[in-house]
């Protein structure tokens, strides 16, 4: 959960559930579900991509996120270190710091 993919997923869920907006070098951005095929409305002449409304799917903004990681880094710090989300990393930091990461219980030499 503390890697680039995990913190990006969690920050995206927080940003979308709170309808966050932020400034970047190219202008103002707002949270959206682009790239999440389950949350997009069908588009195009034949319905194209997007499953929302076609099937009975949950709203991703309400999902519970949990997971483990070998690093004990707080998720807000991991988001900042990953540099994946330009200009938004400070917005969901406090909420991400409150998310508990289950410490990996394995062999350290693995």
């Amino acid at each position: 959960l503390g890697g680039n993919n995990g913190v990006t997923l969690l920050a995206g869920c927080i940003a979308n559930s709170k309808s966050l907006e932020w400034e970047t070098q190219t202008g103002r951005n707002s949270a959206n579900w682009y790239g999440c095929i389950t949350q997009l409305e069908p588009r195009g002449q034949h319905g194209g991509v997007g499953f929302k409304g076609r099937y009975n799917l949950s709203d991703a903004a309400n999902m519970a996120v949990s997971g483990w990681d070998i690093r004990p880094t707080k998720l807000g710090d991991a988001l900042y270190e990953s540099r994946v989300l330009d200009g938004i990393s400070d917005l969901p930091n406090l909420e991400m710091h409150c998310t508990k990461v289950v410490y990996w219980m394995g062999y350290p030499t693995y």
Side-chain angles (χ1 to χ4, degrees), residues 16-77:
N16 279 289
S17 68
K18 296 184 178 295
S19 300
L20 294 180
E21 294 184 351
W22 62 95
E23 290 291 332
T24 67
Q25 293 177 344
T26 58
R28 191 149 189 81
N29 282 341
S30 60
N32 61 58
W33 288 112
Y34 294 165
C36 185
I37 197 167
T38 65
Q39 301 302 304
L40 290 175
E41 299 287 339
R43 297 172 185 217
Q45 183 178 358
H46 302 288
V49 298
F51 294 143
K52 191 168 189 159
R54 270 191 210 177
Y55 306 105
N56 188 16
L57 300 171
S58 298
D59 184 355
N62 298 325
M63 104 170 102
V65 178
S66 179
W68 62 269
D69 204 297
I70 195 167
R71 297 182 337 149
T73 308
K74 289 187 176 186
L75 294 181
D77 295 338

Side-chain angles (χ1 to χ4, degrees), residues 3 5 77 79 93 99:
N5 293 335
D77 295 338
L79 176 65
N93 260 356
T99 303

